[in-house]
DNA sequence: GCCGAGAATGAATCCATCC
DNA sequence: AGGATGGATTCATTCTCGG
């Protein structure tokens, strides 16, 4: 097969439209994988998980068009297999010492930690995004955090940076490009793990928040997304972002 | 066998000295299990985990006597089996709808979530104790939190309380009764999950922080601890604690 | 008594070194 | 080869002590 043609490209950012499993074999030289994959979560019971994404996740306010996102209906076993496979494929595109950071919710956290190790990465910890009080439920702990599982490909490069293991930021309200969109400052916090000069890869780009934050920090970055609408959104957002000059 | 004799007892609190597996079969009517078991953690490598508690966890400076605590040297497989067994034994002492909350660190969180489910409980979420910045390590996310895995035995009772899923408190400094001692306010936060009138059980009591907090909130409570020195410490602390009057 | 400077400390982690 | 040992590292907070 011929190498894929970028959907979008500028001096720092590259976007490929397609399935990660098809694109990843053509990539190399990646120094950091930072992503927010589909969680396949959304309920304790199989019936709850199999609802459409727009039904099972709450959406309020006036909404831009947000297509369903694919690949969010796996059961736990399938999620483990699928996540192990993409983590392995991403690893093959990486240089030694590359770092990994993946968002996940509480329900799939244990499964993703298994997948990280099954995919050949060293799991090194959990970082916490504190979202404030979170959604209250009577008699239960509120759902106040999302989690970032992180690790590396062998020994990590020595660095003189000390990113905090917990970061507080309000979740986005109202208008969003994507139902699971993360605030830019949250992405910037996670990118604090990435050594200067590393190429950042997001194999589940969505609306492109990872690339926007990476570009603004001066990282070269690569995004993969199968939904053309999201590719369009991400290309627009990334093209409007100015990189820091050094 | 005859039922065990309490090591200590007052109007609200009861302490048994012995192994949880020996004592639990005699207990019943428990409405909440709140505990901080040995993590069997302390390092990425087997050699590190196998150290004595005083070696692998930092203890320096002038300190009160703090004995080693037992059962902190299991490998991951043994930890899963052992945790499943005590969770199952504790469940058998519980009434329907009982709640469970167990502290754990990042490394053993996935394993404990498996054990909770293997032990017959419904796992319902993760609550976060934010400890501030945490201990720094160059180039990595700081270790800024410990975690509380919580769940229930079937459906939970309806309640009019909304405990936060994330709680911030500094870890205790200097003089402590136990190397892993939790601040009283942290225990009080976790007890926010417990319905009024429930009997609180801590099968790994240690220096008794769970019982101190439970008694001060007016809960009846039961603690089990195999080390006599810790039983003594806990009995002293619990006896000095005054219960809220209603 | 209050304030500020300096010291001490943490369920840590990594790695070189020695058996 | 692999397990045990010891040293170096770091930031935010608390503690100590002197002025």
């Amino acid at each position: 097969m011929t190498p894929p043609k970028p959907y979008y490209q500028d001096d720092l950012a590259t976007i490929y439209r397609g399935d990660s499993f098809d694109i990843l074999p053509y990539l190399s030289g990646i120094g950091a994988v930072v992503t927010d994959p589909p969680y396949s979560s959304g309920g304790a019971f199989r019936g709850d998980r199999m609802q459409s994404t727009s039904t099972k996740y709450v959406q309020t306010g006036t909404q831009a068009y947000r297509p369903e996102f694919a690949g969010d209906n796996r059961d736990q076993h399938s999620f483990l297999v699928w996540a192990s496979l993409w983590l392995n494929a991403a690893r093959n595109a990486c240089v030694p010492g590359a770092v990994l950071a993946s968002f996940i919710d509480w329900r799939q956290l244990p499964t993703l930690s298994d997948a990280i190790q099954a995919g050949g990465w060293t799991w090194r910890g959990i970082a916490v995004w504190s979202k404030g009080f979170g959604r209250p439920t009577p008699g239960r702990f509120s759902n106040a955090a999302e989690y970032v599982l992180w690790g590396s490909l062998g020994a990590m490069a020595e660095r003189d940076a000390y990113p905090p293991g917990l970061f507080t930021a309000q979740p986005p309200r109202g208008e969003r490009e994507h139902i699971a969109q993360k605030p830019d400052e949250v992405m910037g916090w996670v990118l604090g793990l990435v050594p200067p000069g590393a190429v950042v890869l997001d194999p589940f780009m969505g609306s492109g928040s990872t690339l926007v934050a990476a570009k603004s920090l001066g990282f070269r970055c690569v995004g993969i997304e199968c939904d053309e609408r999201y590719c369009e959104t991400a290309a627009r957002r990334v093209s409007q972002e100015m990189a820091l000059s050094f």
Side-chain angles (χ1 to χ4, degrees), chain A residues 22-94:
Chain A
D22 297 329
I23 307 289
L24 286 174
Y26 294 101
L27 301 184
S28 62
I30 301 298
V33 178
V34 177
T35 192
D36 189 14
Y39 294 172
S40 294
S41 198
F45 305 101
R46 188 169 168 282
D48 294 332
R49 284 194 302 274
M50 294 303 169
Q51 310 226 354
S52 73
T53 44
S54 57
T55 306
K56 70 184 181 182
Y57 300 121
V58 176
Q59 303 186 30
T60 51
T62 57
Q63 314 251 327
Y65 167 79
R66 294 202 298 246
E68 307 289 318
F69 53 101
D72 192 41
N73 300 88
R74 298 179 178 83
D75 66 21
Q76 202 161 41
H77 179 74
S78 304
F79 180 81
L80 173 62
V81 172
W82 170 79
S84 303
L85 290 174
W86 75 253
L87 283 158
N88 189 64
R91 183 175 59 82
N92 285 327
C94 285

Side-chain angles (χ1 to χ4, degrees), chain A residues 52-53 83 95 108-109 135 173 229 231 233 240:
Chain A
S52 73
T53 44
V95 300
Q108 295 287 28
L109 192 159
R135 167 172 283 238
R173 304 200 149 236
R229 246 178 263 261
C231 284
T233 303
Q240 291 168 353

Side-chain angles (χ1 to χ4, degrees), chain A residues 173-243:
Chain A
R173 304 200 149 236
E175 290 286 328
R176 282 168 295 168
E177 312 276 1
H178 188 287
I179 188 175
Q181 191 170 342
K182 303 288 181 288
D184 291 345
E185 66 262 36
V186 171
M187 299 313 303
W189 161 62
V190 173
L191 288 171
L193 187 68
V194 179
V199 180
V200 177
L201 166 68
D202 184 350
F204 306 98
M205 182 184 62
S207 58
S209 296
T210 303
L211 270 67
V212 168
K215 184 178 174 184
S216 79
L217 293 168
F219 289 107
R220 279 183 296 156
C221 48
V222 180
I224 307 173
E225 171 62 45
C226 54
D227 189 304
E228 176 154 21
R229 246 178 263 261
Y230 284 135
C231 284
E232 199 182 314
T233 303
R236 172 175 49 77
R237 294 180 65 207
V238 169
S239 66
Q240 291 168 353
E241 187 69 29
M242 286 296 151

